[in-house]
């Protein structure tokens, strides 16, 4: 067996090559991009949720010392969604009206950000306020008015039912109903958004530095929206300080900055501050689901009916409406890992006078898991059954594969029941129940929440766009060292490491001899970027396919140069040799030199050089990971404070590329899930003012809020390349349900059941009083 | 039109080197470090003291560089992540961060390192609870903190053995 | 989030500081900057001049005064936590200060700044009211001594004149035994509700903070025989606090915090 059959790097806990630059302060993020003469932008943003713009006076701002230019819609008359997927497109700068607090109205371009903010205060805008549309249920009824006069508030409506739903539902022995709600949240990447644009004098091209997850998509958008030929736009993504789906969009500010650089022929930079970020990054979640469940005496769930609603904000975010994602995906995976035969869903996505809704890690997932696991919990409590037992009764069985759920989604084989059993063991379920009883007698309320989940990953279409494949270019340089490039847009996931691991095994070169490029449209092959948990399975798949191609080429070279059969060639550690005769070897370096400089020795039929690009399009439209989370909490009923005390995860994302990196992803997602369940909410007041515009109001989990987690991996390979499944979102999909169920469990003596996230101290106090 | 904002001449000692600079009094220490001195390892995540990404040492103690003005740092020793990085390779704490996968996007990392190093300098026996408490003022959106805590514990133990 | 422009002077002495305040009506004291600078970054506060008092060593002293302590306004929170004299004479102050924000915040923030800022959830404001401390304030017109009750007027408002600087806080040693408890969503946050209690003999007092427009102190004539009685008594006292509608839920939490603070005394912590 040669090295590729015995992978050494794939699956290994390799330390990341990205780290030294990040640890030493040498990494360059967007705001670290500085060129001589760079101007900075501050936006004047709408203070009203809904208003007509009556007049603007810009003279004072224009005349302010240090100001270079002041832009309005007239200077940048660009609409996002010009391509009419929806009836409404968002102007990059407000045009005649404002439709949410925080909408960019005027751009000030000045010597530095301090001065730009001074001038922003000098802009006078006269508004005629309108009644804001703020309530989802009202908005569906077109009350108090339409957000956009020309079109209905409901911008997406879809209905679905399995055949025979009504009969099955009506005949079921028991029915329960509940309304589930998640508040608005947002990604809050620690590095906020930003864009810098400049014309490259040498080539005359527009260079845009963008803190984005989708470099090629950004280039396409800038090219289309500003009508610049695509070859004249170069997008460079510097280090990105987190994205979580929020940085997959093309935002109005990106376009305005690019436009300013073009119009004024100056380098221009905008970096969002935290208030702007909370006011203008896409928001996520904001779902209301009216749900009914029908079930049998033994806890077997027969049917689920759900009216899914999501508040899409003032415009569909470009190019991915989070509201449509939240609902239409949730509707397809609402049954989770359970075999539930019948499903009926009605979806309504509405406009409102709030920030556009986009993607935040696990789009659809937290609400769908919250519902699916919340229903199981309710069924168990109603029938006085053990919640673990009800899960077992409903879980998809291994003998049911190939399996499609009630919405028609084809699941991958996984470890549905096994992950549940393992997680119960890890948390010592029976021991916990005893401890819980004991402590209750002392007035302490512990609870345990189970969340078994499925995670559809690597979907053909996600917030990262509708590019269903990924590309990998490999160039073995004349020295035998390897330069690879992919169309990914990592924001901390470590692709330079994981992709190099895959390639090292395939090419038989040392891991250290590979560099992985990404994020520069000049060097990276066209690709879909990072989002929707696609980079592992699809990006990794592309690396595998390209690596294998290159490997074949290296073998042909070696066989030719060593005068041996191709089947006898082995590769590893930068060498190729004849199996069993290690002395008959040739270095990859020599092969590379031959390929580039000694071209007469190239084996017949092979091209000059060692360079190729391969694309990988998975055969299946989606790849399902699965697992089980269990959270233990203690609820202080006297204060309403919840502490998560223990946490276990059993995760199955197929073949692992780097277990340590997978664990890091899980830890981070669980922390975000704790935030989603206990802390994070964006609040609008009655006038449509966002009242949570700082990190003193929008609370993120801190090191003292997140418990130590115990993780166990199960590897059920997918049928795709390398057996890899995606896993970037599962931890945030599963964890809110786990923590919420744990709270419900803790408060079972009070008959309480959590139905809204996050759960605040005030809500806990109300549940126990 | 160029600005007419008044500048003040200051001397700033950063990472052991004294710099003479003309600054506007309103420039935060973070902005002065980043944009005047090119020390971009200090990051800005909130400008209100909450996130900790801008943490630097003032005379050896962690402080928020977004809540100090550059002019105020005169007469003090400022240390940034660049200042705790050896001229070659990584410090033991930095190495522990790499080995324990204590960073993902890396944006919080310089602040984490400065807080953790200051803690270990003052309390070489810090327990997990103390480490978590000290780091509670440094937000990380990526890692869920566990591997950061593990890295600090490992650096502590390595220091103990040394 | 960049502050508006301002003039900046570094005062070398209290005299220089009060002169600057007298000469410049737009001037504001800059101490630790942990409350003022965020407000300036949000442009919610735009002083025309900042008088930086961080170099006035005279303001950074801790001394014994009568039975209590006299603490200079520039003493930083972390020093309140670590100082031996405070640990010895007024451990409740160290305990309260340890709950302020995070380490980096405590390394800069000062007691004078916290009191001048008068956040209703600030631990040090609560402690001053609880122990009925005295604030010594100076201006070019002279010195005033204000009790905490006179000084704290309400939500972020004090009796401090724009030309005045807090130079010192005098905190008398408590007469009884004390307990402190606060309820936070995340460690380091401003309290949702907190309580400082004192007990001497059967009586004592409770000071609640984090709810209402400023911390309030209430006398307790009898701490009660058992938890039930005590809870009822505190519940009754708590009804006297004026709360906004959205804070109503905190009333019971405050009562429970006071129960915990009292339990600390009983457990001898
Ligand atoms: C992230 C974060 C968390 C925090 N958490 C808490 C918390 O949990 N509890 C808490 O109590 N505080 C908290 N704080 C606030 C902190 O305690 C501040 O230090 C304090 O409120 C203000 O003190 P300062 O020295 O920083 O004052 P500054 O910010 O410098 O000044 C505040 C105000 O006081 C005035 N002032 C300052 N000194 C004087 C003086 N000597 N005489 C007259 N006026 C003066 C200033 O002009 C200004 O108006 C937090 C702050 C941050 C950034
Ligand atoms: S930028 Fe200073 S604490 Fe966030
Ligand atoms: S590693 Fe991204 S914020 Fe900490």
């Amino acid at each position: 067996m040669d090295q590729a059959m015995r992978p050494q790097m794939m699956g290994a806990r390799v330390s990341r090559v990205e780290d030294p630059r990040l640890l030493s302060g040498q990494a360059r993020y967007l705001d670290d991009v500085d060129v001589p003469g760079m101007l900075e932008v501050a936006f004047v943003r709408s203070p009203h949720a809904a208003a007509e713009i009556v007049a603007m006076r810009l003279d004072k701002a224009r005349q302010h010392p240090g100001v270079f230019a002041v832009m309005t819609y007239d200077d940048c008359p660009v609409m996002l969604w010009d391509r009419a997927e929806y009836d409404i497109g968002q102007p990059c700068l407000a045009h005649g009206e404002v439709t949410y607090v925080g909408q960019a109205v005027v751009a000030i371009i000045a010597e530095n950000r301090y001065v730009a903010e001074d001038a922003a205060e000098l802009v006078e805008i006269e508004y005629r306020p309108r009644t804001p549309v703020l309530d989802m249920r009202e908005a569906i009824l077109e009350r108090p008015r339409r957000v956009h006069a020309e079109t209905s508030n409901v911008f997406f409506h879809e209905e679905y039912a399995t055949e025979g739903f009504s009969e099955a539902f009506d005949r079921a022995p028991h029915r329960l109903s509940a309304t589930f709600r998640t508040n608005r949240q947002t990604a809050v990447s620690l590095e906020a958004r930003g864009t810098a644009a400049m014309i490259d004098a040498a080539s005359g091209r527009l260079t845009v530095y963008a803190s984005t997850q989708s470099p090629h998509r950004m280039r396409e958008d800038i090219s289309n929206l500003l009508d610049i030929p695509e070859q004249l736009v170069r997008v460079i993504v510097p280090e990105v300080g987190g994205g979580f789906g929020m940085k997959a969009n093309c935002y109005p500010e990106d376009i305005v900055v690019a436009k300013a650089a073009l119009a004024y022929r100056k380098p221009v930079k905008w970096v969002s501050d935290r208030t702007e970020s909370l006011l203008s990054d896409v928001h996520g979640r904001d779902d209301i689901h009216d749900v009914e469940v029908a079930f049998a005496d033994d806890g077997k769930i027969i049917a689920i009916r759900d009216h899914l609603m999501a508040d899409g904000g003032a415009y569909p975010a470009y190019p991915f409406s989070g509201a449509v994602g939240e609902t239409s995906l949730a509707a397809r995976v609402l049954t989770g890992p359970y075999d539930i035969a019948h499903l009926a869903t009605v979806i309504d996505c509405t406009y409102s006078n709030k920030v556009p809704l986009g993607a935040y890690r696990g789009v659809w997932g937290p609400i769908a898991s919250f519902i699916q696991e919340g229903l199981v919990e309710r069924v168990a409590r109603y029938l006085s059954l053990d919640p673990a037992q009800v899960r077992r009764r409903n879980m998809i069985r291994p003998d049911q594969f190939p399996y499609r759920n009630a919405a028609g989604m084809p699941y991958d084989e996984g470890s549905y029941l096994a992950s549940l059993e393992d997680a119960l063991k890890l948390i010592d379920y029976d021991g916990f129940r005893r401890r819980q009883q004991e402590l209750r007698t002392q007035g302490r309320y512990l609870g345990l929440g189970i969340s078994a989940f499925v995670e559809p990953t690597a979907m053909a279409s996600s917030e990262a766009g509708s590019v269903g494949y990924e590309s990998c270019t490999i160039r073995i340089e004349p020295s035998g060292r390897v330069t690879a490039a992919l169309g990914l847009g990592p924001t901390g996931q470590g692709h330079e490491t994981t992709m190099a691991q895959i390639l090292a095994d395939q090419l038989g070169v040392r891991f250290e001899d590979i560099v992985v490029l990404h994020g520069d449209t000049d060097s990276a092959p066209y690709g879909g970027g990072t989002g929707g948990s696609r980079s592992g399975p699809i990006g990794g798949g592309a690396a595998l396919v390209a690596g294998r191609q290159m490997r074949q080429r290296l073998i042909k070279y070696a066989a030719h140069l060593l005068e041996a059969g191709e089947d006898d060639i082995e590769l590893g550690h930068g060498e190729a040799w004849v199996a069993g005769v290690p002395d008959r070897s040739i270095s990859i370096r020599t092969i590379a030199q031959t390929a580039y400089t000694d071209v007469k020795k190239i084996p017949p039929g092979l091209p000059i050089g060692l360079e190729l690009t391969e694309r990988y399009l998975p055969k299946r439209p989606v790849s399902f990971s699965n697992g089980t989370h269990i959270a233990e909490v203690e609820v202080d009923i006297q204060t309403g404070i919840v502490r998560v005390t223990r946490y276990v995860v059993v995760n199955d994302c197929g073949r692992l590329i780097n277990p340590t990196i997978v664990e890091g992803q899980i830890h981070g997602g669980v922390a975000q899930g704790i935030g989603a369940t206990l802390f994070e909410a964006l609040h609008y007041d009655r006038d449509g003012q966002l009242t949570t515009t700082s990190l003193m109001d929008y609370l993120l989990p801190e090191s003292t809020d997140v418990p130590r987690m115990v993780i166990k991996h199960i590897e059920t390979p997918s049928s795709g390349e390398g057996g890899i499944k995606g896993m970037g979102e599962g931890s945030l999909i599963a964890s809110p349900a786990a923590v919420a169920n744990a709270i419900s469990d803790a408060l079972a003596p009070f008959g309480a059941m959590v139905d809204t996230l996050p759960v605040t101290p005030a809500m806990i106090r109300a549940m126990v009083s | 039109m160029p600005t007419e904002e008044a500048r003040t001449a200051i001397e700033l000692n950063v990472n052991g080197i004294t710099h003479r600079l003309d600054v506007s009094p309103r420039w935060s220490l973070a902005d002065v470090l980043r944009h005047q001195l090119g020390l971009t390892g200090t990051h800005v995540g909130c400008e209100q003291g909450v996130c900790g990404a801008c943490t630097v040492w003032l005379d050896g103690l962690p402080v928020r560089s977004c809540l100090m003005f550059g002019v105020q740092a005169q007469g003090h020793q400022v240390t940034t992540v660049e200042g705790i990085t050896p001229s070659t390779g990584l410090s033991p704490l930095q190495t522990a961060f790499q080995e324990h996968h204590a960073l993902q996007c890396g944006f919080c990392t310089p602040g984490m390192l400065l807080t953790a190093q200051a803690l270990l300098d003052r309390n070489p026996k810090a327990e997990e609870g103390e480490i978590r408490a000290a780091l509670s003022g440094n937000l990380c959106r990526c890692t869920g903190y566990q591997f950061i805590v593990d890295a600090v514990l490992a650096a502590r133990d390595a220091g103990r053995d040394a | 989030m960049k502050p508006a422009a301002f003039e900046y002077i570094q005062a070398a002495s209290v005299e220089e500081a009060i002169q600057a305040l007298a000469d410049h009506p737009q001037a504001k004291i800059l101490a630790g900057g942990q409350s003022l600078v965020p407000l300036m970054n949000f442009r919610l506060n735009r002083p025309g001049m900042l008088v930086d008092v961080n170099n006035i060593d005279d303001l950074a002293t801790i001394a014994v005064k009568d039975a209590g302590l006299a603490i200079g306004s520039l003493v930083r929170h972390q020093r309140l936590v670590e100082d031996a004299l405070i640990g010895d004479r007024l451990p409740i102050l160290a305990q309260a200060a340890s709950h302020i924000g995070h380490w980096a915040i405590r390394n800069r923030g000062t007691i004078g700044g916290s009191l001048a800022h008068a956040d209703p959830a600030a631990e040090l404001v609560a402690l001053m009211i609880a122990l009925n401390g005295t604030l010594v304030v100076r201006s070019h017109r002279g010195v005033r001594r204000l009790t905490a009750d006179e000084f704290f007027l309400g939500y972020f408002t004090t009796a401090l004149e724009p030309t005045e600087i807090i130079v010192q806080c005098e905190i008398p040693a408590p007469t009884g035994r004390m307990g402190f408890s606060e309820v936070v969503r995340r460690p380091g946050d401003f309290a949702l509700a907190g309580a400082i209690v004192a007990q001497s003999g059967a009586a004592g007092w409770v000071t609640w903070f984090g709810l209402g427009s400023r911390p309030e102190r209430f006398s307790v004539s009898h701490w009660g025989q058992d938890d039930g009685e005590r809870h009822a008594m505190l519940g009754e006292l708590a009804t006297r606090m004026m709360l906004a509608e959205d804070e109503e839920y905190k009333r019971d939490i405050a009562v429970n915090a006071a129960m915990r603070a009292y339990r600390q005394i009983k457990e001898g912590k």
Side-chain angles (χ1 to χ4, degrees), chain A residues 117 121 273 636 678 700, chain C residues 1 46 185-186 256 260:
Chain A
E117 289 192 20
E121 292 185 310
D273 65 33
D636 183 338
L678 300 181
L700 301 179
Chain C
M1 278 184 57
R46 45 176 75 233
R185 292 182 74 177
R186 304 172 305 174
N256 289 327
R260 282 173 196 196

Side-chain angles (χ1 to χ4, degrees), chain A residues 81-142:
Chain A
W81 281 124
D82 232 5
R83 280 173 280 172
E85 329 262 334
Y86 297 98
D87 293 337
I88 288 299
Q90 174 169 8
C92 292
L93 291 168
H95 183 39
E97 61 169 3
V98 288
T99 51
Y100 60 95
V101 171
Q103 184 178 8
V105 184
V106 174
I108 310 280
I109 295 142
E111 198 171 283
N112 62 42
R113 177 70 184 233
Y114 288 83
V115 174
E117 289 192 20
D118 294 343
E121 292 185 310
L122 300 174
V123 169
E124 292 166 35
I125 304 175
E126 204 179 302
Y127 293 101
R128 187 172 302 133
R130 296 173 175 154
T131 312
V133 178
L134 301 167
D135 182 276
M136 231 183 283
R137 292 186 194 272
E138 291 287 302
I140 292 176
L141 305 171
E142 311 285 4

Side-chain angles (χ1 to χ4, degrees), chain A residues 173-203:
Chain A
H174 307 284
R175 281 176 292 273
L176 285 172
S177 66
T179 293
F180 293 84
R181 152 141 231 173
T182 55
N183 272 290
R184 280 193 164 225
Q185 294 168 2
T186 185
V188 196
S189 55
L190 206 54
E191 183 210 23
R193 287 189 291 125
T195 319
M198 61 209 72
I199 293 171
D200 172 40
S203 64

